[in-house]
Structures are given as C-alpha cells and as structure tokens.
Amino acid sequence: RGPVPGDPRTKKILLKERKALARPGRDPDPLPLLSGPDRIQSFLARTLEQASRVQALTQLLGIFGMGGDPNRLKDLESIRSDHHFFKAGAKLWELEVLGLDKYSQKIARFNLPAILEVSHEHQIRYLVIEEITSQGEYVVQGTASRVKIRQQDLAPFLGQRAFLVWKNIFGYPGVIAPGSSSGAIISLKLALKKQGFLFLDLEPVYDQALVRAVKTFQADHGLASDGLAGPMTKIMLFSKIRGRQKSVPSTHKGIEP
C-alpha cells in the first residue's frame, strides 16, 4: 500500500524520498558497472578497434564542450611522441596536457578528463576517461555508451602512460609568484576566493595573505606547500572550479589564516 494523500505519514515518506534523491554523490541516471575480465575485454575490443589518437582527443574535447574538429589534427599525425601529439593538439583549443605514469595518484587526485594508453592486440590504443567516481570507478566513454569500470579491474589492460587535460584559466604559463603579471595574480586570487578564501582582496599584489591562502589550499589537497602557484596548484584549482571535487572546508571561508 502506497502513500495516501492527506495522511500525515505521507509527508514524511515524500520528504525522505526527496532527501535520498538530493543526497550528495547520488547519480540520477546510474551508469552500468562492468566487472569481470571477459566483459571488460569485450567492451574494450569494441571501443578500441579504431581508437586512434585523433579520435581520443576529439572525444575528450567533446567532454569540455568544445566540439573538436578531427580535420584540425591531421597535420599533427606525423608527430611520433604521444605526449607531444596530445600537447600540440590540445593547444589548438587552448588546453594543456600533463603526461603521467598510469599509476600516478594525480589521476585520481585531480579527477579531470584523461586519455589512458591501453594495450589491445599488441598495439597501443587510447581510452578516454571522463572522471573517477567517489567509489573509485572510472567513467569510460565507449563507442556508443558510457560505463563504469573499477580502477583495479582496468589496471591489467593499461599501457604505460596517461594524459591529463586541463585549461590554464590564469593566462600565465609559468609559476604565479611575486613579480608575476597583475592579471595572473588577480586571476589566482579570484580562483581562491571561489574556494572560500573570502578574505583575499583583488589588488594585483602577491601579498602575505595570498601566500597563506595558497599554502593552505596546497596542504588541503596534498600538494607541496610552498605558497607559489605552480602547475600542480593551477591544475587543482581548475579541477575544483569545474566542480569535480568537494569544496575546501568551510573553516577557511571569510577567516584569514
């Protein structure tokens, strides 16, 4: 017997259901979870048959909402190094690429779209990872569908490298530090304010308040805490702004460390 309109208990039941649906991390459209080597191998065989570098990068650009045109990448196909190819290709859309070892903890830590090398029929193919769930599952883009695969289940099929893609939202190529451009410093402060460091002003000065904020952000996310915004710090801020990870603890909000 279902809830009866007008029954006081009905409100409690509906409220409980709404809370369950609003629970953080709940996926309203859950993806199928592939398990078992045979099922994973069958999925990879279908997905990787034509999984070229061009296709992988084009697919990844779609995740960023950029609608990459494969024709723009044809001139780069002669580049032998995968890292250099992905780096040059991503640059056409003003994106950056970080090359990583396949087992690097940075893949899970940054939780950004990535391209993984996968060994398939004695050849290297390329698998696009959209994100990693809170349960440690890869969200994998297949030829016609998206699925989840546990990291440990996919590990036997991986090659040696992974390529993390991100956008340098700061407009500054190097380490943001005292003496960096005014625009870069202000962009860094804005990014940190979005993470709850509300005490920062927007003066183009790399002051002690900014150093403390950067150090706190770095320490919170397992990065070297030097107070300077190098590549790892910039990538983590970009990841946070994309909403891929939890926000900084509320204790930082409006309170100067």
Side-chain angles (χ1 to χ4, degrees):
R1 184 169 176 261
V4 178
D7 188 328
R9 291 173 296 179
T10 298
K11 290 184 179 180
K12 291 183 179 181
I13 294 171
L14 294 176
L15 180 60
K16 185 176 181 181
E17 289 178 351
R18 282 196 291 268
K19 285 183 177 179
L21 288 172
R23 192 175 298 140
R26 185 184 179 91
D27 191 343
D29 184 22
L31 299 175
L33 174 65
L34 289 186
S35 59
D38 291 340
R39 292 185 65 197
I40 293 173
Q41 192 164 17
S42 176
F43 170 81
L44 291 177
R46 295 192 305 272
T47 300
L48 299 174
E49 187 175 358
Q50 300 294 329
S52 66
R53 299 186 302 183
V54 170
Q55 182 187 26
L57 188 53
T58 302
Q59 199 174 21
L60 191 140
L61 289 168
I63 296 174
F64 280 93
M66 295 185 172
D69 181 1
N71 292 322
R72 294 184 66 185
L73 300 171
K74 285 186 176 180
D75 293 339
L76 306 178
E77 288 186 290
S78 61
I79 298 176
R80 296 181 62 182
S81 163
D82 287 345
H83 189 190
H84 292 157
F85 169 82
F86 289 127
K87 192 170 183 179
K91 203 73 175 177
L92 295 175
W93 281 270
E94 299 182 345
L95 294 173
E96 305 284 341
V97 170
L98 177 67
L100 298 168
D101 179 83
K102 65 176 179 179
Y103 295 117
S104 174
Q105 293 181 348
K106 294 185 179 72
I107 297 175
R109 183 181 298 168
F110 294 130
N111 200 6
L112 288 167
I115 298 171
L116 304 184
E117 286 186 349
V118 179
S119 179
H120 177 64
E121 295 184 352
H122 308 292
Q123 290 185 320
I124 293 296
R125 298 293 187 180
Y126 308 92
L127 191 67
V128 175
I129 303 299
E130 186 174 324
E131 64 175 322
I132 300 176
T133 71
S134 57
Q135 287 75 40
E137 302 151 342
Y138 288 119
V139 176
V140 180
Q141 290 218 346
T143 52
S145 62
R146 295 158 64 238
V147 300
K148 294 186 295 187
I149 303 177
R150 295 187 186 93
Q151 295 181 61
Q152 63 268 28
D153 292 340
L154 189 60
F157 302 95
L158 295 182
Q160 296 300 314
R161 299 279 284 171
F163 306 94
L164 200 73
V165 180
W166 64 290
K167 186 174 181 63
N168 186 356
I169 58 176
F170 306 97
Y172 194 79
V175 176
I176 304 177
S180 295
S181 70
S182 298
I185 293 173
I186 292 173
S187 295
L188 176 60
K189 286 184 174 182
L190 281 170
L192 286 165
K193 283 174 78 70
K194 288 179 180 179
Q195 301 311 306
F197 295 90
L198 303 181
F199 59 83
L200 292 171
D201 61 38
L202 292 180
E203 294 300 316
V205 179
Y206 209 106
D207 51 24
Q208 286 303 307
L210 180 55
V211 172
R212 288 194 295 270
V214 172
K215 282 186 175 181
T216 301
F217 179 83
Q218 291 168 330
D220 283 345
H221 296 90
L223 303 174
S225 184
D226 60 5
L228 307 177
M232 299 298 108
T233 302
K234 292 195 290 185
I235 294 173
M236 182 61 77
L237 277 166
F238 172 67
S239 172
K240 298 285 291 181
I241 288 171
R242 285 191 87 238
R244 291 289 183 185
Q245 300 186 347
K246 296 178 182 178
S247 61
V248 293
S250 59
T251 50
H252 301 320
K253 297 187 177 182
I255 302 174
E256 184 169 354

